[in-house]
Amino acid sequence: MENSAEDYRIQSFDLDTQRLLKTALKDPSLVNLEKVSNIIVDQSLKDTVFSKEAGRICYTIVQAEAKQNNGNVFRRHLLNRLQQEFKEREEMRARSLQEWVCYVTFICNIFDYLKVNNMPMVALVHPVYDCLMRLAKPDALMNEDEVDCLVVQLHRIGEQLEKADSQRMNDLFFLLRDGFLLQESLTSMARLLLLEILEFRAGGWMLSSTAHKYYYSEIAD
Amino acid sequence: MSDWTKERRREDHNIEHEKSFGPSRWSHCRKRGVNGSLRSNSEADDIDKRRNGHADSSYKHPDRRHASFTTPESTGPVSRCGQQADWGSQVEDDEMRRDVHRDMQRYRRRILGAEFTQRERRASSGSSGSCDSREGDNMETDEAVLLRRQKQINYGKNTLAYDRYIKEVPKHMRQPGVHPKTPNKFRKYSRRSWDQQIKLWKVKLHAWDPPAEEGQDKTLDVVEELNLDDVMDIELDFPTITDSQNSQTSLPIHSLSVEDEDCGTPVKVQRTAEPNMS
């Protein structure tokens, strides 16, 4: 059973790179894994669609390498590259909002997919929180793209994050409540998104059916 | 050099004022003086500083020994405070810690199961063993020790030799003494004893190093090994029940394989191969 290119969303790469990635998925020892990790990270920072699903391809390569020779070269390079970008996230955000949003999406995606013994990677918990806290700051709440990113990530990994560190989740939601209540410059869409996530968490990371109807009944597909 | 080693040397030099460390007959062979500081050979010191801790293959020690004669200075112990470590290492360390804990639980289960079976057999055969292998009570549980040991084991297993070894000799064909056996990290050993076991184990593994020229070793056509965890590599040694009997009629029990998982642990005891079968 072969996973087609669509499963990993690699159509956006040129054909040579696609071939390289496919080889990495099947036979990691044949490729330069540092190069592969850079290719994946670079693309994730540019391509919003890819950043949402790149975790899957990373997960598969990590598993393949571990199975083949117990190695974790790819994972190490991936994480250290993520750490590099993390250290310079403020400059990244100043330079390009889209890149910043892609980065947060990607790191949360990695947090979601790359588990260690079925537990999330402890090393990523604080960095992910740092990113989300940044998105909850007043200047970020003014941008719908950033608010959207924030709520999407909380939907995907909020519950796991809270389990890993509930105090920081409380701190994050302090900011979100304040933003919702006090920040005048918010668009109504931003307010809607914030209200929904506040209810979502209050309901134990799910919406009641009535709330769901309120927020989603008019959304196409 | 790291700040750590610099400070240590500073302290040592302070102490040195009070005592005289005249060179002994043998001090020219030693890299360090009695107090642990590098030998204060001013020429060597200057050169040390320039070398900056790296071994330079063209550098000759003042005693006309090659630089590789002495161990090159490393950067000293690395701080293990999480903040400094890169994410890659943090995740690896975390993973190793979890693996060790999981191994510990599985090992405990194996031991308890095995002890029970052995006690039954001993009771039915009517003899009383002089050695009660209560390994479950006396196992190593210190996380730092287990992690260190696991790391050493990993170094040994991460070799071509080990790869070739496990492919060539399936576990049930292993002969004690002939075939290397991974030291059991859960047993209580002194630090020296453990390090020595590791050393001997790795030396033995070298017999399976890939040949320089074409295949002297014939690779046996064997069924691929199941992907067993490290825990399954640990062979449980129990003393033979009937020591006095002829070895041909009663073989020592060498390995136990446990069908793992949450629903009860049936214990299968395997006999090792006959000595005249190879």
Side-chain angles (χ1 to χ4, degrees):
Chain A
M1 187 195 79
E2 197 160 297
N3 281 315
S4 57
E6 289 80 59
D7 282 336
Y8 296 117
R9 305 274 198 281
I10 63 175
Q11 313 91 305
S12 44
F13 291 100
D14 63 76
L15 286 175
D16 280 338
T17 312
Q18 285 194 39
R19 227 172 293 139
L20 177 69
L21 292 175
K22 285 187 188 161
T23 314
L25 288 164
K26 271 196 287 234
D27 200 343
S29 62
L30 294 180
V31 299
N32 178 344
L33 290 170
E34 180 177 4
K35 182 172 173 202
V36 170
S37 70
N38 282 328
I39 287 175
I40 292 179
V41 176
D42 289 338
Q43 186 66 17
S44 306
L45 297 179
K46 282 189 285 197
D47 180 345
T48 39
V49 173
F50 187 65
S51 66
K52 290 191 175 122
E53 290 298 326
R56 282 193 65 211
I57 188 172
C58 291
Y59 172 75
T60 310
I61 298 178
V62 169
Q63 295 296 102
E65 195 194 343
K67 187 167 174 198
Q68 192 175 50
N69 55 15
N70 241 328
N72 48 25
V73 171
F74 175 76
R75 185 179 70 184
R76 202 177 344 121
H77 282 299
L78 177 69
L79 289 172
N80 292 341
R81 178 72 199 279
L82 272 178
Q83 187 177 19
Q84 256 181 308
E85 302 290 341
F86 177 76
K87 285 193 183 130
E88 304 179 355
R89 62 194 183 282
E90 208 48 55
E91 293 87 324
M92 185 199 288
R93 181 176 181 273
R95 182 176 64 227
S96 158
L97 262 189
Q98 205 216 10
E99 195 178 332
W100 159 241
V101 165
C102 283
Y103 175 77
V104 180
T105 309
F106 181 54
I107 191 177
C108 291
N109 204 231
I110 293 292
F111 179 81
D112 196 14
Y113 273 100
L114 254 57
K115 301 285 204 311
V116 166
N117 291 343
N118 292 322
M119 297 283 288
M121 290 192 279
V122 174
L124 290 188
V125 171
H126 281 302
V128 165
Y129 267 120
D130 289 342
C131 290
L132 298 181
M133 295 286 275
R134 181 63 185 86
L135 289 174
K137 291 225 165 87
D139 61 343
L141 291 180
M142 286 201 314
N143 302 320
E144 271 180 25
D145 289 336
E146 288 186 86
V147 181
D148 183 77
C149 176
L150 172 64
V151 301
V152 167
Q153 302 321 316
L154 282 174
H155 273 107
R156 289 185 81 159
I157 61 172
E159 195 170 2
Q160 296 178 54
L161 271 181
E162 187 175 49
K163 218 179 292 187
D165 187 336
S166 57
Q167 186 50 49
R168 287 205 78 179
M169 189 55 80
N170 292 338
D171 296 342
L172 176 64
F173 271 74
F174 272 34
L175 287 182
L176 295 183
R177 279 190 210 99
D178 279 353
F180 173 79
L181 220 48
L182 308 169
Q183 196 162 335
E184 292 178 352
S185 49
L186 291 193
T187 65
S188 56
M189 176 52 102
R191 265 185 238 281
L192 184 68
L193 294 174
L194 288 179
L195 185 62
E196 195 268 0
I197 197 70
L198 289 166
E199 279 203 63
F200 186 72
R201 187 207 179 197
W205 301 101
M206 55 184 181
L207 278 185
S208 67
S209 52
T210 46
H212 189 96
K213 223 180 287 178
Y214 175 86
Y215 290 105
Y216 295 104
S217 62
E218 287 173 45
I219 293 180
D221 85 286
Chain B
M1 275 175 249
S2 76
D3 291 333
W4 185 85
T5 41
K6 269 195 211 123
E7 269 196 357
R8 237 194 113 206
R9 295 232 191 101
R10 233 176 277 133
E11 285 170 23
D12 287 332
H13 282 143
N14 289 336
I15 302 170
E16 234 182 340
H17 291 318
E18 294 155 24
K19 303 187 187 176
S20 66
F21 286 113
S24 76
R25 214 171 0 145
W26 311 111
S27 62
H28 71 280
C29 303
R30 275 188 265 116
K31 188 183 178 195
R32 294 183 180 279
V34 152
N35 57 13
S37 57
L38 285 183
R39 289 195 306 118
S40 54
N41 177 341
S42 52
E43 187 185 6
D45 266 32
D46 286 342
I47 297 171
D48 271 347
K49 284 179 194 137
R50 263 187 271 128
R51 266 172 44 198
N52 201 29
H54 293 292
D56 177 9
S57 54
S58 59
Y59 164 67
K60 291 268 188 233
H61 195 274
D63 293 5
R64 284 188 288 124
R65 277 173 286 144
H66 200 270
S68 58
F69 183 82
T70 50
T71 331
E73 286 294 332
S74 73
T75 50
V78 179
S79 161
R80 289 205 162 269
C81 301
Q83 269 62 35
Q84 272 109 4
D86 56 295
W87 292 356
S89 308
Q90 281 186 46
V91 172
E92 277 176 35
D93 290 346
D94 189 43
E95 185 175 44
M96 205 185 312
R97 209 170 299 129
R98 288 189 202 276
D99 283 348
V100 161
H101 282 285
R102 182 200 55 196
D103 283 355
M104 225 193 308
Q105 291 181 333
R106 289 184 175 175
Y107 183 72
R108 273 210 185 95
R109 270 184 275 156
R110 281 183 74 195
I111 291 294
L112 292 176
E115 280 178 359
F116 181 70
T117 313
Q118 203 203 13
R119 240 172 269 138
E120 278 194 323
R121 191 174 305 112
R122 211 184 287 143
S124 67
S125 75
S127 64
S128 58
S130 52
C131 159
D132 252 335
S133 56
R134 293 236 176 84
E135 292 202 26
D137 301 343
N138 197 34
M139 79 184 235
E140 181 62 71
T141 54
D142 185 323
E143 187 188 86
V145 172
L146 289 173
L147 285 175
R148 180 176 20 93
R149 291 181 175 183
Q150 185 62 57
K151 235 178 252 182
Q152 290 171 291
I153 292 173
N154 290 345
Y155 286 142
K157 290 192 170 178
N158 222 357
T159 55
L160 288 174
Y162 185 77
D163 247 7
R164 297 177 81 237
Y165 169 53
I166 56 176
K167 286 195 182 111
E168 185 178 306
V169 186
K171 242 184 263 150
H172 60 274
M173 300 273 283
R174 285 192 194 168
Q175 297 166 7
V178 174
H179 293 128
K181 189 172 85 167
T182 309
N184 180 345
K185 66 177 177 273
F186 291 114
R187 283 228 185 105
K188 289 265 193 206
Y189 294 114
S190 70
R191 176 72 186 264
R192 280 187 58 172
S193 165
W194 172 263
D195 288 349
Q196 183 73 345
Q197 288 182 58
I198 288 282
K199 215 182 297 180
L200 293 172
W201 171 64
K202 285 161 89 167
V203 164
K204 274 190 166 170
L205 283 175
H206 278 306
W208 278 266
D209 276 346
E213 313 84 25
E214 280 320 88
Q216 311 140 356
D217 307 326
K218 286 183 231 144
T219 337
L220 299 174
D221 203 23
V222 287
V223 177
E224 197 170 35
E225 286 264 312
L226 297 171
N227 184 22
L228 301 171
D229 299 317
D230 277 351
V231 167
M232 304 309 283
D233 281 347
I234 299 173
E235 293 175 5
L236 303 172
D237 271 348
F238 290 105
T240 54
I241 294 164
T242 48
D243 282 326
S244 53
Q245 283 190 354
N246 197 315
S247 61
Q248 282 173 344
T249 50
S250 142
L251 290 175
I253 299 159
H254 273 277
S255 68
L256 299 172
S257 81
V258 178
E259 277 157 19
D260 218 314
E261 270 5 299
D262 331 61
C263 48
T265 21
V267 174
K268 244 189 337 203
V269 174
Q270 292 177 347
R271 282 171 175 268
T272 53
E274 300 267 342
N276 45 17
M277 205 166 52
S278 42

